[in-house]
Amino acid sequence: ARAHVSLSQSANVSLDIKAALKLDNSEASRRQAGLIYYAAHQPERTVEMLSSLSYKDDPEVAEILAMTYYKLGELEKALIYFESAPAGEKTFLPTAHCYYFSGNLSESYKWFRKAEAVKAIPAEFLYQYAHTAYSEEQYSKVLTLTEGITAVNGPVSVGLMRAESAFETHNYVIALAEAKQLVVDEKTAHIGGLSAYHENDMEGVIHFLEGWAKDATALEPLAEAYIHVGRNTDAIKTYESLISLDPSVPGYYVSRGKLYIESGELPSARNDLSKALELDPSIEGARLLRGKIAYQLEEYAIAIEDFEFLKEGSRSGELFYLLGMSYWQTDQAEASYTSLEKAHELGRKDIDMLGI
């Protein structure tokens, strides 16, 4: 039978083995028959001879059965034997393949890594390897493995794996390019929108996040994008959403207050700036804006409070001018004089101020 194997005479191999087993059908003989069938590339007969043997104490039988079932496409059975077979170079890739189809992506990734250390992974396995790397959040590896892979029918599209992997490794140009090729859903909106934001592509931010932004991570850049393109009404609505999510962030009130100023809604602006200062009294920009609005609204007491808070160390002629004029409007001539004199020293030359 062994001689016929070397001559590739499969039919004669079978005849000789059958004759041998009639003389001796012991477990040792069936083991030898199985090994000969394996060498003769007769997988069904290999399984017939070896599957009844105890493989756990026989690594060679375990490996042969694993490889045979693998070639027959019975991956679940192959995996049982691979787990008992010695780890050899020729078993690395089949083991990874079997674990992949069993759903154990973490274990599959480990075996793909072992296989890759021996030789390059064949093209037909690159998607599986990339998918396991993706499941293990090995994003740089995913980008390397998917370079040049075309569309593959699998649990996760190549484009999504590349987009997310590029985003997580801060390769925003790649992430944005890949996201633009995908159907926009919650995940691709997040990836594409934030990548566009990092690339200062405000139109792209709106394209991806409009209608999908649900949390502060997405709503904040969307609000900025609206402001950038002049859609202030949409920006105000977006800050309303942010405030409803977390009313303790003073910056949201400041940003919305500035938008109200631009739209001429000064009372609303004042209210937002007051709320911001209630949350954080140290925001000087908000206090200066509120003081100016209060002056315009003739709410001089608020204006005086804010400008007095800010005047120490200030070199702003405008600040002292507004403070002095607020005092003048409330009949506090001495305080008005002091502030207006300081404004004059700092270069303010307003004719009405000089008259006062």
Side-chain angles (χ1 to χ4, degrees), residues 253 256 266-276 290 293:
Y253 297 98
R256 189 173 67 173
L266 298 185
S268 296
R270 177 206 54 215
N271 292 340
D272 270 356
L273 295 168
S274 295
K275 182 62 178 178
R290 187 179 72 166
I293 292 170

Side-chain angles (χ1 to χ4, degrees), residues 257-294:
K258 290 178 180 178
L259 291 167
Y260 280 137
I261 292 172
E262 288 189 29
S263 62
E265 300 176 62
L266 298 185
S268 296
R270 177 206 54 215
N271 292 340
D272 270 356
L273 295 168
S274 295
K275 182 62 178 178
L277 290 168
E278 178 186 319
L279 293 167
D280 184 357
S282 68
I283 307 175
E284 293 188 357
R287 192 171 293 279
L288 180 61
L289 284 174
R290 187 179 72 166
K292 290 180 177 180
I293 292 170

Side-chain angles (χ1 to χ4, degrees), residues 89 92-93 95-97 105-121 125 128-130 132-134 136 138-142 144-145:
E89 292 181 3
F92 291 162
L93 190 58
T95 304
H97 186 55
L105 301 187
S106 179
E107 198 65 29
S108 179
Y109 177 69
K110 293 177 185 177
W111 285 94
F112 272 122
R113 294 275 289 170
K114 291 180 180 180
E116 186 182 40
V118 176
K119 62 179 180 179
I121 302 296
F125 292 103
Q128 294 175 22
Y129 190 6
T132 62
Y134 176 72
E136 293 294 291
Q138 300 297 316
Y139 297 118
S140 295
K141 190 68 178 175
V142 173
T144 301
L145 292 170

Side-chain angles (χ1 to χ4, degrees), residues 219-283:
L219 287 167
E220 287 178 7
L222 180 59
E224 286 188 42
Y226 281 142
I227 293 169
H228 184 82
V229 299
R231 291 172 59 177
N232 288 1
T233 300
D234 290 321
I236 288 171
K237 290 178 181 178
T238 305
Y239 280 116
E240 287 172 359
S241 299
L242 283 163
I243 289 168
S244 68
L245 286 173
D246 188 353
S248 68
V249 180
Y252 297 157
Y253 297 98
V254 174
S255 296
R256 189 173 67 173
K258 290 178 180 178
L259 291 167
Y260 280 137
I261 292 172
E262 288 189 29
S263 62
E265 300 176 62
L266 298 185
S268 296
R270 177 206 54 215
N271 292 340
D272 270 356
L273 295 168
S274 295
K275 182 62 178 178
L277 290 168
E278 178 186 319
L279 293 167
D280 184 357
S282 68
I283 307 175

Side-chain angles (χ1 to χ4, degrees), residues 16-205:
D16 286 335
I17 288 177
K18 286 178 181 178
L21 292 177
K22 283 182 180 180
L23 298 172
D24 180 1
N25 195 31
S26 65
E27 187 171 297
S29 292
R30 293 199 304 279
R31 183 183 187 281
Q32 289 298 313
L35 267 58
I36 294 170
Y37 276 134
Y38 181 69
H41 305 293
Q42 297 189 36
E44 289 83 0
R45 292 177 184 249
T46 302
V47 169
E48 180 186 348
M49 290 294 110
L50 298 182
S51 60
S52 62
L53 304 181
S54 176
Y55 64 88
K56 291 187 177 180
D57 298 323
D58 193 334
E60 186 179 14
V61 168
E63 181 179 312
I64 288 174
L65 281 171
M67 295 298 291
T68 302
Y69 276 122
Y70 179 72
K71 290 173 182 176
L72 290 171
E74 298 186 46
L75 304 185
E76 188 174 342
K77 288 183 179 179
L79 186 55
I80 294 172
Y81 293 103
F82 275 129
E83 289 175 341
S84 297
E89 292 181 3
K90 67 180 180 180
T91 67
F92 291 162
L93 190 58
T95 304
H97 186 55
C98 290
Y99 272 120
Y100 181 81
F101 279 98
S102 76
N104 190 339
L105 301 187
S106 179
E107 198 65 29
S108 179
Y109 177 69
K110 293 177 185 177
W111 285 94
F112 272 122
R113 294 275 289 170
K114 291 180 180 180
E116 186 182 40
V118 176
K119 62 179 180 179
I121 302 296
E124 63 266 28
F125 292 103
L126 286 178
Y127 173 83
Q128 294 175 22
Y129 190 6
H131 186 204
T132 62
Y134 176 72
S135 73
E136 293 294 291
E137 299 181 356
Q138 300 297 316
Y139 297 118
S140 295
K141 190 68 178 175
V142 173
L143 289 174
T144 301
L145 292 170
T146 54
E147 187 71 46
I149 290 183
T150 53
V152 175
N153 291 324
V156 183
S157 73
V158 173
L160 179 57
M161 286 196 291
R162 285 186 59 77
E164 185 174 356
S165 297
F167 179 77
E168 294 294 341
T169 53
H170 310 297
N171 291 310
Y172 299 117
V173 173
I174 295 175
L176 182 56
E178 294 290 349
K180 285 180 177 178
Q181 305 302 314
L182 301 171
V183 175
V184 178
D185 58 18
E186 188 172 354
K187 191 164 195 173
T188 56
H190 178 85
I191 293 169
L194 297 189
S195 296
Y197 179 73
H198 283 290
E199 290 301 308
N200 202 33
D201 177 3
M202 295 303 170
E203 293 285 0
V205 172

